[in-house]
């Protein structure tokens, strides 16, 4: 637990990347999802990945951690009591997905765990239920990042991604509209190349 008190994103500079990721993953795999330790590990990893997406994203992929991320991502929305109140675990892993998907070097290994079809499935279920605007925005922006890979762009379009983005553009929330516009811009750019 002391790891989460002292860990700071700057530690990546001192070569602590693998150690931090391994410890976080160990807590994921041995702690109940409703425990504060699990939430602390997830939030710590999220902070590190957002601060250094290439370094920590690669370490997360190398450690097989995207399997753990996918398990939470594809699950039902679930609020767990964290140190500062309820935390929706899926919102946290969606931030990790968005950050890692934006790193070109991580894109190919990432799609082995979570592909464009998974992204469309998530958006389709969230559009009808919309448990969290934050979650929808992060996944939509990740969808845009995915489409920079031509094969993923083709798959995204084939499984109905464009129709979903058009629906999200009409959603009654500006943040969702902006995320959808970003993703559509990525699709258009990829399709033109």
């Amino acid at each position: 637990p002391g790891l989460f008190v002292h860990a700071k994103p700057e530690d990546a500079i001192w070569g602590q990347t693998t150690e931090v990721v391994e410890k976080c993953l160990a807590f994921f795999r041995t702690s109940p999802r409703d425990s504060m330790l699990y939430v602390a590990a997830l939030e710590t990893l999220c902070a590190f990945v957002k601060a250094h997406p290439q370094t920590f994203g690669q370490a997360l992929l190398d450690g097989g951690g995207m399997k753990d991320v996918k398990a939470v991502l594809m699950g039902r929305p679930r609020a767990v009591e964290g140190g500062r109140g309820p935390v929706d675990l899926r919102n946290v892993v969606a931030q990790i997905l968005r950050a890692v998907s934006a790193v070109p070097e991580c894109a190919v290994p990432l799609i082995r765990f979570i592909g464009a079809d998974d992204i469309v499935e998530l958006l389709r279920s969230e559009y009808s239920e919309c448990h969290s605007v934050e979650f929808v925005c992060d996944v939509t922006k990740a969808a845009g990042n995915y489409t920079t890979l031509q094969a993923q762009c083709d798959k995204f379009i084939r499984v109905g991604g464009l129709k979903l983005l058009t629906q999200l553009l009409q959603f009654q929330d500006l943040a969702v509209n902006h995320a959808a516009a970003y993703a559509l811009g990525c699709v258009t750019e990829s399709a033109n190349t």
Side-chain angles (χ1 to χ4, degrees):
L3 165 72
F4 308 119
V5 177
H6 303 294
K8 298 185 214 52
E10 306 87 76
D11 291 346
I13 299 165
W14 303 106
Q16 302 300 307
T17 308
T18 304
E19 182 187 349
V20 169
V21 171
E22 283 177 354
K23 284 186 177 179
C24 286
L25 291 177
F27 284 122
F28 291 163
R29 292 163 182 167
T30 57
S31 306
R33 278 196 193 170
D34 57 357
S35 70
M36 286 184 70
L37 188 56
Y38 183 96
V39 175
L42 191 59
E43 289 187 320
T44 297
L45 185 60
C46 181
F48 273 75
V49 170
K50 285 168 69 177
H52 298 280
Q54 183 167 349
T55 307
F56 279 89
Q58 192 60 59
L60 185 61
L61 286 160
D62 291 345
M66 289 312 292
K67 285 183 183 175
D68 304 274
V69 167
K70 183 176 182 178
V72 178
L73 193 69
M74 306 302 281
R76 302 301 299 161
R78 186 170 176 191
V80 174
E81 199 60 39
R84 298 179 303 281
V87 175
D88 187 335
L89 300 178
R90 293 202 322 160
N91 284 356
V92 181
V93 293
Q95 292 177 56
I96 293 175
L97 175 69
R98 175 183 165 189
V100 177
S101 68
V103 179
E105 293 83 354
C106 293
V108 173
L110 176 62
I111 62 174
R112 293 180 192 144
F113 296 97
I114 303 167
D117 46 347
D118 294 318
I119 297 288
V120 171
E121 182 185 328
L122 279 171
L123 287 176
R124 187 171 284 128
S125 64
E126 282 301 312
Y127 177 74
S128 57
E129 301 174 31
C130 199
H131 297 285
S132 165
V133 163
E134 181 185 4
F135 181 84
V136 171
C137 288
D138 283 328
V139 174
T140 301
K141 287 180 179 176
N145 296 338
Y146 267 59
T147 62
T148 57
L149 293 172
Q150 190 62 56
Q152 292 300 299
C153 184
D154 294 344
K155 183 188 278 190
F156 183 78
I157 293 170
R158 195 167 59 248
V159 296
L162 272 184
K163 182 181 177 183
L164 271 172
L165 291 181
T166 305
Q167 290 173 324
L168 290 171
L169 273 177
Q170 298 160 18
F171 200 78
Q172 295 298 308
D173 187 279
L174 266 180
V176 173
N177 301 155
H178 287 158
Y182 167 79
L184 272 172
C186 294
V187 173
T188 304
E189 189 174 330
S190 191
N192 286 341
T193 54

